[in-house]
Amino acid sequence: MNNTLSTLTWLFSGLMFALCISIPDGYRIGAGGLLLLSLSLFFLKPKWSMLNKDDRLLFWVFVVFVISIYGAALSDWIRFDSVVKKTLDRFSLFIFVLPVMVLLLNVSGRKEWLWYGVVIGAMSGFSLALYERLVLGLGRARGSENAILFGNISMLLGFLSLTAAAYFFYQKRFFWLVLALSGGVCGIGGSVLSGSRGGWVAAPLVIFFLLWVFRNLLGKKLLSKLILFLLLIISIIVLVPQTGVQARIGQAVSNITHYADNTAKETSVGLRFDMWKAAVYMFQQNPIIGFGESQVKKNKQNLADIGSVSHKIVRFHHAHNEFLDAASKRGLIGLFFILVLYLVPLKLFMNKIRQNECDWKIKFYAVAGALVPMSYIGFGFTNVMFTQKIGVIMYAFSIVLFWVAVKNAENEALS
């Protein structure tokens, strides 16, 4: 029974990555399967003693974050509209992942299936992006999500696939090494085809991190060749007009110029600047607890009526910046908890990287785990990833899955 449960648990874990952007609501299949399997905890009598202080810290980070969201919603209780309800519904998913964490800690691991999942997910997502761009003729690939979320999740899968490539290089499994490298290119390519510039902000930092952390594994000669290859790929992506990157960068520069000289403010970048401006204003007016979800639209409308921002930003429910959005809606308290949600898991994974400097069997999973908050922080400068369930699920479940994979690898090293 336990062997079957273990197999199903890690199968659904891999499926979450494999299907997350290639089929409509594909992420729900893996995450939903894990939630259903977590019901077996009622019969397994889980060993709670297996949770050490770091496990409990991660556990409580999620719990306290959700409590902070519900606390902020109290100010909206009288105006309990659809926006507030949807917000609470989304963020509750951080609680639902916790029994999955306990389940994973109590079953033996086939954690390697996570690598297969991210590679398949990156490649299948890129295939869909190509179909949408070349066959359907869409200007931006989007899958079943909006183009920004599709592109950012694709970029994350690309980063994780590059980590998988390092894993298979270490294992000398060259077939999967080639597939994982292809997955890395496909994940980044899916982001390119989506035209989501926010994901490109995270790319330089993450790629530098990967090159740095794997420098000893690759060796100076191979590392130099890899850097030259990456520069070549980046040059091709930027210079070839068909990718759309050159046009999107040029459009951004033009938008910024027009916004600065006040000749055209209602461009893509100009509207984003106005959203940031409105968020800063709301934060300044109520810096401790913010204005809440239900009052954002009203405040933006007031700013638009006096000509401070464009009327076109009123319809947007968020500020297109994770940190400004939290500050405007939930004040310093909300900003603090969103930073905790990102920085505590990042610190835990970075600690594991340092503690297992020479043990690559553990270190690969720790690197992958660190990439998740690192990427989300980068994405958060130009978007709010938690506006849709896919953003919440891919963050919460990815953190838990790679954390448990690290724990399993540590246990195997001791046995």
Side-chain angles (χ1 to χ4, degrees), residues 120-334:
I120 293 170
M123 297 177 75
S124 59
F126 180 70
S127 299
L128 176 59
L130 278 178
Y131 174 76
E132 290 183 332
R133 288 288 298 269
L134 300 180
V135 178
L136 299 183
L138 299 182
R140 299 175 66 182
R142 59 184 301 130
S144 61
E145 309 299 329
N146 65 54
I148 297 175
L149 280 167
F150 177 88
N152 287 349
I153 298 298
S154 181
M155 182 71 82
L156 175 61
L157 292 173
F159 295 153
L160 293 173
S161 293
L162 293 176
T163 309
Y167 172 85
F168 291 120
F169 174 78
Y170 176 78
Q171 296 278 341
K172 293 182 171 56
R173 295 168 59 184
F174 297 110
F175 173 75
W176 273 100
L177 168 61
V178 173
L179 286 182
L181 287 173
S182 300
V185 173
C186 286
I188 296 170
S191 175
V192 169
L193 293 177
S194 75
S196 303
R197 292 171 297 213
W200 309 343
V201 174
L205 172 64
V206 172
I207 291 175
F208 175 79
F209 169 74
L210 288 175
L211 291 173
W212 175 258
V213 80
F214 292 138
R215 67 192 186 282
N216 294 329
L217 174 68
L218 298 173
K220 291 182 179 179
K221 189 174 181 180
L222 182 56
L223 183 63
S224 300
K225 291 180 179 179
L226 187 57
I227 292 173
L228 290 174
F229 176 73
L230 287 172
L231 291 173
L232 176 63
I233 293 294
I234 293 170
S235 299
I236 292 172
I237 290 174
V238 173
L239 296 177
V240 174
Q242 286 77 7
T243 64
V245 172
Q246 191 179 93
R248 292 286 289 168
I249 293 174
Q251 182 187 50
V253 173
S254 176
N255 289 174
I256 293 170
T257 302
H258 289 311
Y259 189 88
D261 60 23
N262 208 28
T263 55
K265 285 184 172 276
E266 294 186 345
T267 60
S268 173
V269 175
L271 291 176
R272 186 172 268 109
F273 283 164
D274 270 3
M275 284 186 270
W276 295 355
K277 182 179 178 181
V280 170
Y281 174 82
M282 284 186 277
F283 170 68
Q284 291 173 336
Q285 296 303 305
N286 201 350
I288 305 301
I289 62 172
F291 277 98
E293 293 281 349
S294 68
Q295 294 299 292
V296 169
K297 184 175 181 179
K298 177 183 176 181
N299 278 278
K300 287 194 291 188
Q301 184 66 61
N302 292 338
L303 290 173
D305 289 342
I306 63 175
S308 294
V309 297
S310 170
H311 280 277
K312 290 185 177 181
I313 74 163
V314 176
R315 63 186 177 89
F316 293 100
H317 294 299
H318 60 84
H320 274 75
N321 179 292
E322 191 79 64
F323 312 103
L324 292 178
D325 192 69
S328 64
K329 293 176 180 176
R330 303 186 294 278
L332 285 171
I333 295 174

